Amino acid sequence: MAAFKQKTEHMLTQLGGRIITQILFMGGVTFLAFDTLKTLFTKKTQWNLVVQQIYFVGVKSLSLTNLIAIFTGMVLALQFIVGLKRFGLELYVGQIIGMAICRELGPVLTSLMVAARVGSGIAAELGSMTVTEQVLALEAMGADPVSKLVVPRVLVVTLMTPILTIMADVVGIFGGMIITIFETGVGPKFYIDQIIRTVEVDDFLSGISKTLFFGFLIGVLSCYHGLKATRGTQGVGNATTASVVASSVAVFVADYFLTKMFLIF
């Protein structure tokens, strides 16, 4: 009986510790998000730092997001052609590819790639600055770490994720067109006409609008984990991993609620 009581107390202690950790994490992220927005609208933005981040976030991510997009479009075409052949509808595969890429796959997969490449890079960079006390040095000199380090990164990730998604949508649809032409024999004009007739402006805009939220979440979570890094190089590695995991989960959770909201309104 005593052993059971001791085991139960140990489990409840662990559970309570995890709940408190999650509450502190969510509170810290929320505070950083509000602080970032407040600093963005009340203090002067350092545009030279923003331009540097545009090159790192946008230009250097373009090849990765487009590579994922073109193969996603090609795989979608292969899968849907097999399914639609059973009903003799394989000629109309462009309609499904256009809807799937513009509404869901383009925004989500692009955001996940941004979380993996850009988010991990931000967490590692800020984590290294934190454990080597460069962030403390900035504060000692009177500089605001949020204004100098967080705002430029969050702003650029928020703005560049939709732009990368637009390019990924186009490339993904092009990848699907290549496979559709080879597998079904339809012409490019027929394929494009099917997409234009099916994909409405609202479908495209709802997908792009979601990436603004995804980009903001990725930026804030990556900066938070970087600024909270401890214990030297191991802590930087842990912060990088935690950043990618948290950003990916946040993208999927936010995707559900944003999709539901756009369907209602």
Side-chain angles (χ1 to χ4, degrees), residues 86-99:
R86 298 168 187 171
F87 309 99
L89 299 173
E90 68 272 18
L91 299 181
Y92 304 101
V93 68
Q95 298 180 5
I96 302 175
I97 292 175
M99 288 285 289

Side-chain angles (χ1 to χ4, degrees), residues 91 177 181 185-197:
L91 299 181
M177 183 178 72
I181 291 172
V186 302
K189 186 175 183 306
F190 182 85
Y191 177 86
I192 297 297
D193 284 344
Q194 293 300 312
I195 292 177
I196 292 174
R197 289 179 183 178

Side-chain angles (χ1 to χ4, degrees), residues 99 195-205:
M99 288 285 289
I195 292 177
I196 292 174
R197 289 179 183 178
T198 308
V199 180
E200 298 178 352
V201 176
D202 288 347
D203 299 321
F204 176 75
L205 291 180

Side-chain angles (χ1 to χ4, degrees), residues 64-104:
L64 175 63
T65 55
N66 284 346
L67 181 68
I68 297 299
I70 194 168
F71 278 100
T72 300
M74 294 167 73
V75 170
L76 275 180
L78 285 175
Q79 293 283 11
F80 283 124
I81 286 171
V82 170
L84 292 175
K85 264 186 180 177
R86 298 168 187 171
F87 309 99
L89 299 173
E90 68 272 18
L91 299 181
Y92 304 101
V93 68
Q95 298 180 5
I96 302 175
I97 292 175
M99 288 285 289
I101 288 181
C102 289
R103 288 192 66 94
E104 196 61 40

Side-chain angles (χ1 to χ4, degrees), residues 59-244:
V59 178
K60 299 191 77 172
S61 301
L62 191 59
S63 58
L64 175 63
T65 55
N66 284 346
L67 181 68
I68 297 299
I70 194 168
F71 278 100
T72 300
M74 294 167 73
V75 170
L76 275 180
L78 285 175
Q79 293 283 11
F80 283 124
I81 286 171
V82 170
L84 292 175
K85 264 186 180 177
R86 298 168 187 171
F87 309 99
L89 299 173
E90 68 272 18
L91 299 181
Y92 304 101
V93 68
Q95 298 180 5
I96 302 175
I97 292 175
M99 288 285 289
I101 288 181
C102 289
R103 288 192 66 94
E104 196 61 40
L105 293 178
V108 171
L109 292 180
T110 301
S111 299
L112 290 177
M113 289 302 102
V114 171
R117 185 191 173 279
V118 178
S120 62
I122 290 174
E125 184 183 10
L126 296 189
S128 300
M129 294 179 69
T130 302
V131 298
T132 55
E133 300 186 349
Q134 294 181 52
V135 177
L136 286 175
L138 281 175
E139 291 177 323
M141 289 188 294
D144 181 9
V146 174
S147 177
K148 192 172 181 60
L149 301 176
V150 178
V151 169
R153 288 167 174 79
V154 173
L155 178 63
V156 171
V157 176
T158 304
L159 295 179
M160 290 307 298
T161 305
I163 295 174
L164 290 170
T165 303
I166 292 172
M167 297 180 181
D169 287 350
V170 174
V171 172
I173 289 172
F174 175 73
M177 183 178 72
I178 294 173
I179 299 302
T180 304
I181 291 172
F182 278 104
E183 294 289 331
T184 65
V186 302
K189 186 175 183 306
F190 182 85
Y191 177 86
I192 297 297
D193 284 344
Q194 293 300 312
I195 292 177
I196 292 174
R197 289 179 183 178
T198 308
V199 180
E200 298 178 352
V201 176
D202 288 347
D203 299 321
F204 176 75
L205 291 180
S206 67
I208 300 302
S209 300
K210 289 193 293 186
T211 57
L212 284 170
F213 295 93
F214 296 162
F216 182 76
L217 289 172
I218 292 168
V220 171
L221 286 167
S222 303
C223 290
Y224 175 82
H225 282 291
L227 293 174
K228 292 295 180 182
T230 55
R231 293 179 300 171
T233 55
Q234 183 182 357
V236 174
N238 292 337
T240 304
T241 304
S243 165
V244 175

